[in-house]
Amino acid sequence: MTVPKLALTELSEASLGKTRAEAVVIGTLKGPDGLELAPGADIVDAALGGTLTDVLATLGATGAAEEVVKLPTLGKLPAGVVLAVGLGTPDPTPEQVRRAAGAAGRALAGTKRALTTLSVVDLQAAVEGTVLGAYAFTEYKSDPGEKPVSTVDVASPADGTTREHRAKLKASTAIAEAVCTARDLINTPPNDLFPASFADRASKLAADAGLEIEVLDEKALKRQGYGGILGVGGGSSRPPRLVRVAYRGAKAKQKVALVGKGITFDTGGISLKPAANMDHMTSDMSGAAAVLASVVLAAKLKYPLEVTAYIPLAENMPSGTSYRPGDVLTMYGGKTVEVLNTDAEGRLVLADAIVRAAEDDPDYLIETSTLTGAQMVALGNRTPGIMGSDEFRDRVAAIAQATGENGWPMPLPEELRSDLDSKLADLANVTGSRWGGMLAAGIFLREFVADGLPWAHIDIAGPAYNTGGAWGYTPKGGTGVPVRTIAAVLADIADNG
Ligand code: BES
Ligand code: MN
Ligand code: ZN
């Protein structure tokens, strides 16, 4: 992972005259009478003799969201280029700033050092967008192409650099880096990222953050009765794991359990998936990546909480040792599940991990997974579906909206429960119905959640992995959703219980 180095800097005509940045980023707005400059751009405009709006308009700039227009400063500034990025409307939300900063961050590839003034509009959004937009995953390229911007000077908001600004810069940089940590794991191909190697990477991250880690291998899983994880992982030559990473903050009042689906590759197993786009299933461990990055982040930001991540890891493969449709698995805790479709494997590994999580007596449970194609049918590629206990679900969804990750609350309709009845076990892993697949998966998980425990299930099947082009601060491939939602929920629990 290469992320730019960021530092706050005071913005004035004098400082602009001495900047070592090669490019200065300014915001543009689409006002009622056409193009306007965003706060922070005025000093750049003054240095250029008040011509900026006219010149940009001549170049076709409109201030539309994520529009990027570059113009040369012709010797009037030490920075050779002004990069104008559209914020959209005159009164931009944090998410509009984040997306504009992301578009600028992408457009800065090939530039070594830049100065951004978007931080005058919104410091946190500008920092997050810049880091997330600059992200590139080039591990596997012989020629990585243009390098992401390596240093970004962040203009202090109008009231000058305060302690609060420094704290905000630090926190938002850490949050964006956590998103990039998750992206790196997701983008690592499945021949290199499998249960044992994921566990190794978790061990390194945990050691660097001073966190406690426990890794159960296939023998320990067997001894302790993790039938779901073992069933799903049985078809692979690369055996499953259960990773537990714990952070104990000083003065922790609340304990939060995080569970993330870690299918390092999902072929569907004996219920084999079609060939088209099966490669996308390299992302089926995005939930695992998100909760691992989140617990490391909680430690870095010293949240006054206990946060424990439980990560069931398995590769879902077809082979002579695979579990079969018709098998009955005895899950951790003793419930039995009839497997009717080996491609509904996520809920099986999650059930084991959810039951294990409850043994540590958490106050809240947040689980996230690339669980159902039905999530994409219902909500599209950019909107996570959030289910769970009503109150906590709504709290997580409201926070997801505020972060720009835009999760949306979904119900668990009672009438769907009987669709999961099994002819011979406690529960079947799929329904016979075509409808409500995302909700049925949520209802399946609910069976394994301890009574009374506030919980949220975030289905990120679409949002975790961008199969289209880059947009805003979202690159192709792993997106790191819902790390920022989890981080914000943890911060909210730390503040409000
Ligand atoms: N990992 C998939 C869900 C998925 C699909 C994620 C597309 C991202 C993109 C999951 O394991 C799966 O296969 N779900 C099945 C469930 C079905 C068999 C009830 C699905 O959605 O088709
Ligand atoms: Mn599957
Ligand atoms: Zn899956």
Side-chain angles (χ1 to χ4, degrees):
M1 167 173 55
T2 45
V3 291
K5 279 193 196 55
L6 277 67
L8 283 165
T9 177
E10 300 284 338
L11 185 63
S12 66
E13 264 194 78
S15 71
L16 210 53
K18 287 186 301 207
T19 180
R20 288 166 57 211
E22 298 153 42
V24 181
V25 178
I26 62 158
T28 55
L29 307 166
K30 207 181 176 106
D33 306 315
L35 184 74
E36 290 172 23
L37 299 180
D42 46 342
I43 289 172
V44 182
D45 186 32
L48 295 175
T51 57
L52 201 45
T53 311
D54 286 346
V55 175
L56 283 170
T58 307
L59 290 171
T62 65
E66 297 177 39
E67 166 192 86
V68 171
V69 176
K70 291 184 186 179
L71 74 128
T73 57
L74 304 174
K76 289 185 178 148
L77 283 178
V81 172
V82 168
L83 193 156
V85 63
L87 290 156
T89 52
D91 198 7
T93 61
E95 178 64 3
Q96 284 174 287
V97 177
R98 205 178 283 115
R99 289 186 189 185
R106 284 189 281 121
L108 286 170
T111 306
K112 282 205 187 67
R113 185 174 188 141
L115 163 66
T116 184
T117 64
L118 295 173
S119 42
V120 176
V121 186
D122 186 318
L123 176 60
Q124 175 167 353
V127 169
E128 288 179 358
T130 301
V131 173
L132 295 176
Y135 173 89
F137 186 77
T138 54
E139 281 313 270
Y140 291 81
K141 294 269 192 199
S142 305
D143 175 7
E146 283 184 330
K147 280 216 178 72
V149 59
S150 53
T151 306
V152 179
D153 301 317
V154 178
S156 293
D159 43 344
T161 307
T162 63
R163 263 183 63 185
E164 200 187 320
H165 294 147
R166 270 189 255 279
K168 249 193 195 157
L169 176 80
K170 199 177 147 207
S172 39
T173 305
I175 290 168
E177 285 179 3
V179 174
C180 295
T181 299
R183 288 178 179 176
D184 277 356
L185 286 162
I186 298 163
N187 290 331
T188 302
N191 55 327
D192 283 342
L193 196 76
F194 45 93
S197 64
F198 188 113
D200 286 345
R201 288 181 63 163
S203 299
K204 285 200 185 74
L205 287 167
D208 290 347
L211 298 178
E212 192 189 307
I213 180 163
E214 173 188 74
V215 180
L216 301 187
D217 65 10
E218 68 275 25
K219 285 192 202 109
L221 290 169
K222 190 147 195 200
R223 230 181 294 121
Q224 297 180 37
Y226 286 94
I229 298 171
L230 287 166
V232 173
S236 175
S237 60
R238 302 187 292 187
R241 296 285 183 266
L242 177 62
V243 172
R244 176 181 179 279
V245 184
Y247 159 65
R248 288 171 214 277
K251 297 192 196 133
K253 280 191 227 102
Q254 307 280 325
K255 198 188 263 191
V256 184
L258 305 176
V259 174
K261 172 178 172 181
I263 300 298
T264 59
F265 193 72
D266 183 11
T267 66
I270 297 298
S271 312
L272 192 64
K273 286 183 181 297
N277 299 325
M278 201 202 274
D279 58 293
H280 296 176
M281 288 301 111
T282 181
S283 66
D284 214 18
M285 33 54 70
S286 297
V291 301
L292 176 58
S294 297
V295 68
V296 170
L297 175 66
K300 185 152 197 189
L301 295 182
K302 299 194 169 69
Y303 287 144
L305 298 170
E306 279 191 36
V307 181
T308 309
Y310 303 83
I311 305 174
L313 296 158
E315 187 178 43
N316 190 18
M317 296 288 274
S319 81
T321 58
S322 294
Y323 75 142
R324 291 152 288 255
D327 282 0
V328 173
L329 304 177
T330 301
M331 315 295 281
Y332 189 67
K335 278 210 172 76
T336 57
V337 176
E338 182 185 14
V339 177
L340 296 177
N341 188 322
T342 63
D343 197 13
E345 83 297 338
R347 59 196 75 183
L348 299 171
V349 303
L350 289 167
D352 276 0
I354 287 170
V355 173
R356 171 63 188 86
E359 289 182 346
D360 294 336
D361 218 10
D363 298 297
Y364 296 98
L365 167 71
I366 305 171
E367 172 278 322
T368 185
S369 40
T370 46
L371 202 59
T372 66
Q375 178 277 321
M376 290 142 91
V377 176
L379 294 171
N381 280 331
R382 297 184 185 179
T383 306
I386 309 186
M387 289 141 276
S389 49
D390 291 351
E391 210 177 311
F392 190 54
R393 171 204 60 204
D394 288 346
R395 183 174 173 188
V396 173
I399 291 169
Q401 290 290 308
T403 64
E405 289 188 330
N406 294 339
W408 199 257
M410 301 298 282
L412 297 175
E414 218 38 70
E415 72 274 12
L416 296 185
R417 170 59 188 85
S418 59
D419 293 355
L420 288 168
D421 285 347
S422 158
K423 59 187 180 295
L424 68 161
D426 298 338
L427 204 62
N429 78 328
V430 294
T431 71
S433 162
R434 283 181 60 192
W435 316 120
M438 167 172 54
L439 316 179
I443 288 174
F444 180 94
L445 295 178
R446 186 179 63 186
E447 293 293 311
F448 297 89
V449 177
D451 285 343
L453 173 60
W455 68 290
H457 155 56
I458 311 177
D459 194 334
I460 50 167
Y465 195 67
N466 178 17
T467 57
W471 57 281
Y473 52 85
T474 303
K476 286 186 185 190
T479 64
V481 173
V483 169
R484 290 187 305 109
T485 296
I486 295 173
V489 172
L490 292 177
D492 190 54
I493 293 172
D495 285 345
N496 303 307

